[in-house]
Amino acid sequence: MDYAVETIDLTKVFSDWWGRNKIYAVDDLNLKVNYNEVYGLLGPNGSGKTTTLKMLLNLLYPTKGKTILLGASSSDPKISARIGYMPEESYLYRYLNARETLNFYGSLFKLPSKIRKMRTESLLDMVGLKAVANRPVGTFSKGMARRIGLAQALINDPELLILDEPTTGLDPMGTRQMKDLVLKLAKRGKTILLCSHLLADVEDICDRISILYDGQIQTEGKVKDLLRQTNKKQITTGNLSDTAIQKIKQLVEKENAECSISSPVEKLETFFIKTVITARKQRKVTSGAVADSENAIADFLVEEQKEELKRAEILDKLVSTDVSTEQKAEPAKAEEAVKMEKTLVADRELLENLTKLPDTSTAQPTHAKQKAEPVETDTISAGEQAKNLLDQLTGEKESQNDEQQKKGNPDKDSEK
Amino acid sequence: MSRIWAVAKNTIRQAVRLKTVAFLVLALLVVLLLMGENASGDGTLKGRLQTFVSYSFSLTSLVLSVFTIGLIVYSLTNDIKQKQIFTVLTKPIRRSQLLLGKLLGVFILDFILLAIFSFTIYAIAELTPRFINTSKQELNRAKNEFFTARMKLTPQKVDVSEKVRKMYQEMKKSGKLQQKFPNMSQEAIIRILTWRQEQWTRAVAPGQELIWEFQNVKPLEDAQSLFLKYKYDVSVNPADLKVTGAWFVGDLRQIQYGAKVQTPVHEFARKELIRTYYEEEVPSNVVADDGYLAVGFLSPPLNITTILFPEDYLQLLYKADTFTANFIRASLLILFRLTLLACLGIFAASFLSFPVALLLCLAVFTTAHLSGFVMEALDPATHDVGLFYSYTIKPLIHLMPQFDKFSPVKFIIPAQLITWKFLAEAFAMLVCIKSFLLIILSLCIFRFREVAKVVT
């Protein structure tokens, strides 16, 4: 099976000039990152995360083992042309301004001048640095430097994005934007490998994680699987009266289970962002980096997604007309589809009642992400049902599934 | 190539944004102008021009050399230290392209700066005669002996090796070797005999004459004069330290064989100091149509000592090109030197940190100015060391850049022509061989360097 990132028995030993004091920074590491997933590399300081990334990027050479990125070695310029890398600090030329920085890195990819210029402007817009595009990077704050660091990593529209501590130095807004961006890029089919100390960030955006210690993987798996507490259940409801709470407690105690009931607490990050958005609406001017719009993403990074949306629209149109004609041709199947739709609508209503959030505007990207998990894709939109119906009628379902698996499941995006 | 060009542009931008270049240009321009104003030399116009060009060329060369070493070493080591190289090398650029890009950037900067400074020196030199009061004779002398490019011809060395070999064999047969050269090796004896015989080929006893012949003497069409430069030495010093000599310059074949004289023969006789250079202006029409020219010297019987001409005792100089063309070639010699220093800098920076790499480059740069002297001093002194010297120290010394050999000042000051052949030799030695070797070494070292490794 092909992996976007693969290490085979990767080992890195550091020793002094005389070859003494051997330290195993990475020890027989076998890392496998699938295409189109967000993979988090966690671990305490000195656990070998950054060393691993540096070996992947050919900045360090393995003592033993080998690394494979996108099916080949990263020393091949053809491979590095498909990779974006943001180091733990934005190591940029202090004397270049933001625009020149992106232009320089773009020219290393041999991007034609027009495209380079277009991407530079889009990325500056995306990271909120357009207003300071002519200021030397050396005068930037840490957060602004991280933003331009991210922009340089995206200048080539990479297939694989390697992020070392992506949210370090960013304010909560920037952190949120970074996480949203990672999710959007993932939706677009990019593979993202990141390492971070900020566990909450990793939890929010990663599909899978591994925890490194002493250069070895201690545990690896899907975030949800690793964190799920199967011996406990959680129910979230709307506001309840004291009587209802007592009844629920009694009901739970009858089952010999412990029960604690409290009002949910909003995340500080969400609260902070709401406050800042409110202030921004009141036109309170601030200095530094300002993104033009929430969740902004450079045009060229979503071009493919737009194409997919267009294709989906065309498909929807075809489906809406074709269903009726197909129904005429095969009335039995059409009746079955209508029955199925009714059942699904009833199920969806039930599910929505059970999982209703107190304030939908504060929904986290995590929730959207979780919905994307295959085990919870019970809710299907009308367009989706129509598409499924078309697939069933045309017998293309299986072949599409195969393709989706290869391309990164664009349907996952619409669900998210 | 576009990636190399991108790195080169970035390197140029780095130098410009660090204000280094602006400061350098301004400071050096001010110094050059002050030197042009204040240079005096021996008080003559020629002396003033020679002093100014000598100092300004040397200063420009020195400043640009240090600038080149500093910039290229800083550019690469700083990229590694500040870790900008992480973001660059993870892009589709080969390490060799990064190094070549930096070299190209520094080369372009050097080219531009050298052009600015050379033009300034040239302009000041050309304008100096217009702004100072001087006699027509002085102007004429400056024109003939400074604002020109003169070909220098010297007598061919006489091969005495066969004669020496025979002498040695005869002495050996007659058993005189031990008597004359006690406890000396064969090599040392031959060296002494060779030196003596060479001296004899340049010796003229009272009443005797010596003739030197030159072929392919081709002065420029507008050249009205040739210059004969000579110096005497003697076996026994006369009381007044002067000797008399009679000189004949022209196609002496006409006289020797009694044919009708086609071209004039220039004659002069003077009593002059020993161990002092003299320059005699000779009309250019003395040269035969086929480019033949002979110089004859007669030591009159009134001289009480044998005249021994030292090495480099006689030079025939004639205008073979313009001052401007020679000046451009002199600037090119500096450019070759800067190219080599840039390659040396990139080599040192490929495996050393900034201060160590800088120190290494400056040490080599200093030694390179003395390499000719070192070779001359060590070669004879270490003859007896044999194989060890030949295969260890000697190649290392010969690998040194030899800047003194290719110094432009040596040519510009005496208005001596820098031939294309000499320029090609300098290019081959400094750029094609030594710079190329340094680049190859740098690429090999940098290819395997772990740039993210923290050196403790």
Side-chain angles (χ1 to χ4, degrees), chain A residues 12 61 93 100 108 152, chain B residues 3 17 79 91 447 450:
Chain A
K12 181 67 189 174
Y61 297 128
Y93 292 104
E100 285 168 344
L108 295 182
Q152 65 79 23
Chain B
R3 288 179 184 128
R17 298 278 164 88
D79 271 17
K91 305 285 182 278
R447 162 76 183 77
E450 292 183 296

Side-chain angles (χ1 to χ4, degrees), chain A residues 12 54 57-61 77 80 85 87 91-93 95-96 100 104-105 107-110 152, chain B residues 2-3 6 10 13-14 17 79 82-84 86-88 91-92 94-95 447-448 450-452:
Chain A
K12 181 67 189 174
K54 284 174 180 170
L57 293 161
N58 248 20
L59 299 171
L60 285 175
Y61 297 128
S80 39
Y85 169 59
Y91 303 124
L92 302 166
Y93 292 104
Y95 49 86
L96 295 180
E100 285 168 344
F104 168 64
Y105 288 111
S107 60
L108 295 182
F109 286 98
K110 284 189 173 178
Q152 65 79 23
Chain B
S2 63
R3 288 179 184 128
N10 191 38
R13 212 172 257 152
Q14 180 180 30
R17 298 278 164 88
D79 271 17
Q82 301 295 326
K83 299 177 183 175
Q84 287 103 338
F86 289 10
T87 40
V88 175
K91 305 285 182 278
R94 292 188 188 279
R95 291 178 178 215
R447 162 76 183 77
F448 295 103
E450 292 183 296
V451 290

Side-chain angles (χ1 to χ4, degrees), chain B residues 43-58:
Chain B
T44 63
L45 175 63
K46 181 190 158 193
R48 183 185 177 131
L49 288 166
Q50 282 179 330
T51 309
F52 165 68
V53 171
S54 169
Y55 281 107
S56 57
F57 237 92
S58 301

Side-chain angles (χ1 to χ4, degrees), chain B residues 71-203:
Chain B
L71 178 64
I72 196 115
V73 170
Y74 174 79
S75 182
L76 185 60
T77 54
N78 194 57
D79 271 17
I80 295 170
K81 193 180 175 189
Q82 301 295 326
K83 299 177 183 175
Q84 287 103 338
I85 205 160
F86 289 10
T87 40
V88 175
L89 285 184
T90 48
K91 305 285 182 278
I93 180 170
R94 292 188 188 279
R95 291 178 178 215
S96 54
Q97 290 174 319
L98 178 73
L99 294 192
L100 292 175
K102 290 203 177 283
L103 271 176
L104 180 64
V106 173
F107 178 80
I108 290 170
L109 263 178
D110 277 340
F111 182 82
I112 294 168
L113 290 175
L114 185 63
I116 293 170
F117 297 136
S118 293
F119 178 76
T120 309
I121 296 168
Y122 177 82
I124 292 173
E126 283 281 354
L127 292 172
T128 299
R130 296 184 199 180
F131 289 100
I132 58 168
N133 288 324
T134 185
S135 66
K136 201 172 181 183
Q137 193 186 355
E138 282 275 305
L139 279 172
N140 208 31
R141 194 170 165 220
K143 186 188 164 197
N144 286 329
E145 296 176 26
F146 182 78
F147 287 116
T148 183
R150 301 185 298 185
M151 184 69 178
K152 177 177 138 184
L153 294 179
T154 51
Q156 278 191 339
K157 214 172 180 180
V158 181
D159 184 14
V160 294
S161 56
E162 186 60 25
K163 196 176 176 183
V164 168
R165 197 182 59 79
K166 278 180 185 169
M167 280 175 73
Y168 180 81
Q169 294 298 340
E170 279 171 18
M171 275 196 266
K172 199 177 176 184
K173 273 183 192 171
S174 60
K176 288 179 182 173
L177 272 181
Q178 273 305 313
Q179 189 188 339
K180 289 191 172 179
F181 305 101
N183 301 324
M184 287 180 81
S185 67
Q186 180 186 343
E187 204 174 293
I189 296 168
I190 286 178
R191 207 161 52 238
I192 292 170
L193 289 174
T194 305
W195 180 80
R196 282 183 186 172
Q197 285 306 307
E198 281 177 353
Q199 281 280 74
W200 275 115
T201 62
R202 304 193 297 263

Side-chain angles (χ1 to χ4, degrees), chain B residues 386-449:
Chain B
L387 283 176
F388 175 76
Y389 170 76
S390 304
Y391 290 101
T392 52
I393 302 166
K394 197 174 178 181
L396 278 176
I397 296 171
H398 283 265
L399 270 177
M400 284 289 166
Q402 296 175 28
F403 288 156
D404 47 354
K405 185 182 173 185
F406 300 109
S407 167
V409 177
K410 268 191 351 189
F411 293 88
I412 287 291
I413 302 310
Q416 191 183 317
L417 177 76
I418 301 169
T419 60
W420 286 110
K421 192 183 162 197
F422 182 78
L423 200 68
E425 190 194 340
F427 181 73
M429 286 298 290
L430 298 179
V431 181
C432 296
I433 299 175
K434 292 179 181 176
S435 298
F436 183 73
L437 271 176
L438 285 169
I439 291 175
I440 296 294
L441 273 174
S442 317
L443 296 182
C444 290
I445 294 169
F446 200 59
R447 162 76 183 77
F448 295 103
R449 181 169 177 181

